[in-house]
Amino acid sequence: MELQGLKNTLNYVQGIKDMNKSRIDSMREYLKETDKNDANEYVLVEIAKASAIVRNMEYVLVQISAQISEILEQQRILLDLERDTNESFLSSIGGKF
């Protein structure tokens, strides 16, 4: 089902985002605890990379959420149409709804 696949992808992307946010927090904590040296430049580059990943994942999450919302809206419209059709049919045969 397309909706379930999108939900799974949403969870996967959220996990990537959370993992990278955790990496950023850990690296920032490391920088606070260490003296300024050459290793810090490496850590700053890694923070920048992880930050870019987080931003990209946030964008992807918005896109996936929009797709999920669209599918749910389409399903709601179809259910409304089905209900209206059923009510019309019952009315046409004299049934009470």
Side-chain angles (χ1 to χ4, degrees), residues 83-97:
R83 184 195 69 229
D84 293 346
T85 302
N86 290 341
E87 288 175 0
S88 294
F89 175 73
L90 288 174
S91 294
S92 71
I93 61 171
K96 295 196 175 197
F97 193 69

Side-chain angles (χ1 to χ4, degrees), residues 27-80:
M27 288 184 279
R28 284 184 178 155
E29 198 59 39
Y30 168 79
L31 286 175
K32 288 179 188 175
E33 296 172 359
T34 60
D35 294 329
K36 304 292 182 216
N37 60 34
D38 292 337
N40 288 344
E41 184 177 332
Y42 169 80
V43 173
L44 291 173
V45 169
E46 290 302 309
I47 289 173
K49 287 179 187 177
S51 296
I53 291 169
V54 168
R55 281 191 306 277
N56 289 337
M57 294 302 104
E58 287 171 345
Y59 174 79
V60 171
L61 287 170
V62 168
Q63 298 303 311
I64 294 170
S65 295
Q67 288 179 333
I68 289 172
S69 294
E70 184 177 319
I71 290 170
L72 291 174
E73 179 63 17
Q74 290 171 355
Q75 288 178 347
R76 186 195 63 77
I77 290 169
L78 289 173
L79 288 173
D80 287 348

